[in-house]
Amino acid sequence: MGAEKTDATADHTSKGEFSDVSGHDGESLQGPSRYTLQRKLKNRHIAMISIGGVIGTGLFVGTANSLSYGGPIGLLLGYIVMGTIVYCVMISLGEMVAYLPIPGGHIKLAERFVDPAFSFAMGWNYWYDWAIGSPAEIAAAALLINYWNYTVNDSVWVVICLAVVVAINMLGAGAYGEAEFIFASIKVITITGLIILGIIIDLGGGPNRDRIGFRYWKNPGPFVQYNGIQGAKGRFLGWWAVLIQAAFSFIGTEIVAIAAGEAKNPRHTLPKAIRRVYIRILLFYIGGTLVIGLLVPSNNPLLVLNSGTAQSPFVIAIETAGIKFLPSIINACLLTSAWSNSSSSLYTASRAIHGLAASGNAPKIFLRTTRNGLPYVAVLFTAIFSFLAFMAVSKGAGSVFNWLSDMTSVAGLMTWFGISVTYLRFYKGMQVQGIDRKTLPYYTNLQPYAAWWGVVSTITICFFSGWSVFLEGNWNTATFVTNYVLFITWPILYFGARLYYGTKPIAAADMDFKRDIAEIVADSYEEPPPKNKMEAFWQWLVSMAALLGNF
């Protein structure tokens, strides 16, 4: 499996549990097909996954709660701050995975550059994040379907959505890539069209000819006094309440790292994908929240997701403008985004647990794949947790979406924390070993400051994520548990693993920057010229996005 393992790496395999994948029954991850993930994700798959792969219910639906919590300015500022965090995490991750696009992504990188126990905690947290993310998206899908028919039991919609998601993932990475390409294309077209339509409606171009302008920024106002708390304190708390939901909207940006192990020509495609992250942050998230704040007043009762009659802010705005038929079309597009995100969640979680098994941190049965490289055991096991979406039947789709999205947000923030810590160790190792970062496939001049911002901001937001339950008369056990269970579990997993396996942090001088490089270089090649006009147009579009991303 490329270069032999260094003595430094061997020192951290004290009980054989954290040994490299080559120790599994004497067979390596690059060996028999039952252990092998195959590179089936094409350039266009990675490109679309990076631009629109996880745009979904967080932006289309979850912003309803955020607008009611923080008001239009609080919503916008919350997404801007979270956008800076995401960008810093992604350029940190991008530098590592472009250099080492290995199966397991940042989970395996943490094992190599931080500590096997850190990889253990990070891996199980990441698996949990996405395993819970899938039922959260399915609950959101049921909530969206209720727009048309509220009389049918939510269990019907849950079964249908779950069947579609599992079917896509059981067809393999190639089928997932094609489905995600189509779904992501629909989402990109939808959010772009909604932003343009929103501007038109705001300027009075709707059927009712009502020129809204910044009306709702004046009345009911730019901020919401959270929980009736007056003054700057109430406005600050309203803005802070936006952050945890904004995190849910951005969760999944790092999916390109997990996809790296199945990406064709990874050293060419991944740097381009990372450079496109800012497009999604600026155009889709910042632009989308700006338009939402202009079109819908923060006191609209339909914004409360657990009310049973909640709607997407975009649908509310289009209905208010008097545009017939279009709300149903938009709601259908939003429904495909929920399907897409649930599919992405199942895909990512299954690859995460496969990576855990490859590191010896999960049972070896999760390494089993079909001849086509599908980790079917990992997919089916993870799909079991999607049945949590059936809680929507008794508790209501809106409430279940809120609970699961809170848990996903905290787990996702802890993942970003782990990525940032891993990069700081990666950066230190490069320095100590005298490796010039400018020779890497991708690097930026913002490091290590960007990674430090990722570390400090994510841990701070997690620590205060459930602050609202401590307000007088506002205690909610479900909210407290969903916000803090993973925050508490992380250090237990990490220190427990360190004590049990007897590992210690890897010294910068002992970090292995050479293993797997030969295979990665062998998988790299120059992109062939376009065969037709459609391919030529796509390559031009991709190159323009990459070019803009360099600025």
Side-chain angles (χ1 to χ4, degrees):
M1 184 172 157
E4 292 184 0
K5 187 182 300 181
T6 64
D7 292 339
T9 307
D11 287 343
H12 299 282
T13 60
S14 53
K15 290 195 179 181
E17 300 296 332
F18 288 110
S19 61
D20 186 49
V21 294
S22 59
H24 295 296
D25 297 335
E27 296 169 299
S28 71
L29 197 61
Q30 276 71 35
S33 61
R34 66 194 179 104
Y35 291 125
T36 303
L37 294 180
Q38 299 178 12
R39 299 190 184 275
K40 293 189 175 183
L41 295 179
K42 302 176 182 177
N43 184 17
R44 60 187 178 89
H45 296 156
I46 297 296
M48 194 54 71
I49 287 172
S50 68
I51 295 175
V54 289
I55 294 174
T57 54
L59 178 60
F60 292 136
V61 179
T63 45
N65 269 346
S66 290
L67 181 57
S68 66
Y69 291 155
I73 297 296
L75 171 67
L76 182 61
L77 291 178
Y79 269 76
I80 289 175
V81 170
M82 191 56 63
T84 66
I85 297 172
V86 172
Y87 183 76
C88 289
V89 170
M90 284 305 295
I91 61 176
S92 301
L93 178 61
E95 189 169 316
M96 294 187 292
V97 297
Y99 178 68
L100 284 170
I102 56 178
H106 47 278
I107 300 169
K108 288 291 290 180
L109 293 173
E111 178 187 349
R112 186 178 292 197
F113 300 119
V114 185
D115 179 356
F118 194 81
S119 174
F120 177 89
M122 193 172 172
W124 280 109
N125 174 82
Y126 196 64
W127 171 81
Y128 179 88
D129 178 14
W130 287 99
I132 295 299
S134 183
E137 298 291 346
I138 293 175
L143 182 66
L144 289 167
I145 295 173
N146 286 339
Y147 171 79
W148 293 298
N149 191 331
Y150 196 74
T151 60
V152 177
N153 193 291
D154 283 337
S155 61
V156 176
W157 313 130
V158 170
V159 169
I160 294 173
C161 294
L162 187 57
V164 172
V165 168
V166 174
I168 291 173
N169 276 268
M170 288 302 293
L171 291 174
Y176 163 78
E178 291 296 341
E180 194 57 32
F181 179 81
I182 296 171
F183 281 141
S185 299
I186 293 173
K187 288 189 285 186
V188 169
I189 293 171
T190 299
I191 187 60
T192 304
L194 285 172
I195 291 173
I196 295 172
L197 178 62
I199 295 172
I200 293 173
I201 292 175
D202 185 68
L203 296 176
N208 60 3
R209 302 299 178 186
D210 182 16
R211 194 176 192 279
I212 301 172
F214 290 87
R215 178 190 308 165
Y216 300 132
W217 289 33
K218 299 176 182 178
N219 183 26
F223 290 93
V224 170
Q225 304 296 147
Y226 189 86
N227 206 41
I229 301 172
Q230 297 302 310
K233 181 180 179 181
R235 292 191 292 272
F236 173 80
L237 293 178
W239 166 76
W240 190 267
V242 172
L243 290 179
I244 197 70
Q245 187 281 319
F248 177 74
S249 297
F250 283 108
I251 294 299
T253 309
E254 74 287 343
I255 194 175
V256 292
I258 290 294
E262 296 175 272
K264 294 182 178 180
N265 202 16
R267 283 201 160 186
H268 288 266
T269 58
L270 293 176
K272 293 178 181 179
I274 298 299
R275 292 188 183 102
R276 297 183 194 108
V277 169
Y278 86 100
I279 298 176
R280 179 167 62 186
I281 294 173
L282 289 179
L283 176 61
F284 301 145
Y285 287 100
I286 307 304
T289 52
L290 174 62
V291 168
I292 288 172
L294 290 174
L295 298 180
V296 183
S298 58
N299 58 1
N300 191 309
L302 292 177
L303 294 174
V304 182
L305 291 182
N306 57 7
S307 64
T309 57
Q311 297 178 11
S312 164
F314 290 107
V315 174
I316 294 172
I318 294 170
E319 283 188 330
T320 303
I323 303 176
K324 297 181 179 180
F325 306 113
L326 188 57
S328 288
I329 296 174
I330 296 301
N331 207 62
C333 292
L334 304 190
L335 180 59
T336 64
S337 77
W339 264 332
S340 168
N341 281 27
S342 184
S343 177
S344 292
S345 296
L346 182 54
Y347 169 85
T348 308
S350 63
R351 270 54 178 186
I353 201 169
H354 181 279
L356 284 166
S359 299
N361 297 337
K364 289 186 289 185
I365 191 173
F366 294 118
L367 284 172
R368 294 190 176 276
T369 67
T370 64
R371 291 182 178 180
N372 294 324
L374 170 70
Y376 63 95
V377 177
V379 171
L380 292 175
F381 174 75
T382 303
I384 294 173
F385 291 83
S386 295
F387 285 93
L388 288 172
F390 282 101
M391 290 193 302
V393 177
S394 59
K395 300 296 183 181
S399 296
V400 173
F401 174 74
N402 282 336
W403 294 338
L404 295 178
S405 63
D406 283 348
M407 297 176 77
T408 301
S409 296
V410 174
L413 286 166
M414 292 306 297
T415 293
W416 295 347
F417 166 79
I419 290 171
S420 300
V421 170
T422 301
Y423 178 81
L424 289 174
R425 298 302 300 150
F426 174 88
Y427 183 90
K428 183 66 175 178
M430 286 270 175
Q431 276 189 324
V432 170
Q433 297 188 26
I435 301 174
D436 186 1
R437 291 174 50 249
K438 292 183 179 180
T439 63
L440 301 181
Y442 174 82
Y443 81 99
T444 73
N445 293 321
L446 297 177
Q447 299 294 3
Y449 312 107
W452 275 113
W453 172 236
V455 170
V456 174
S457 59
T458 53
I459 205 72
T460 301
I461 294 172
C462 283
F463 185 79
F464 292 104
S465 62
W467 59 270
S468 61
V469 301
F470 298 107
L471 297 176
E472 186 177 355
N474 209 36
W475 176 261
N476 186 299
T477 302
T479 301
F480 177 82
V481 171
T482 55
N483 279 277
Y484 286 115
V485 64
L486 288 176
F487 188 62
I488 297 170
T489 302
W490 174 284
I492 294 175
L493 288 172
Y494 173 57
F495 289 108
R498 282 194 64 176
L499 289 172
Y500 183 75
Y501 296 113
T503 65
K504 60 182 180 179
I506 300 172
D510 296 333
M511 292 178 186
D512 183 3
F513 289 97
K514 296 180 180 179
R515 181 159 40 100
D516 300 319
I517 293 299
E519 290 87 347
I520 293 167
V521 172
D523 284 335
S524 300
Y525 55 86
E526 293 298 325
E527 294 290 337
K531 298 178 182 179
N532 50 53
K533 291 184 178 180
M534 180 59 69
E535 287 191 5
F537 171 76
W538 175 251
Q539 283 195 11
W540 171 82
L541 189 63
V542 168
S543 65
M544 287 301 294
L547 179 63
L548 290 171
N550 287 321
F551 288 94

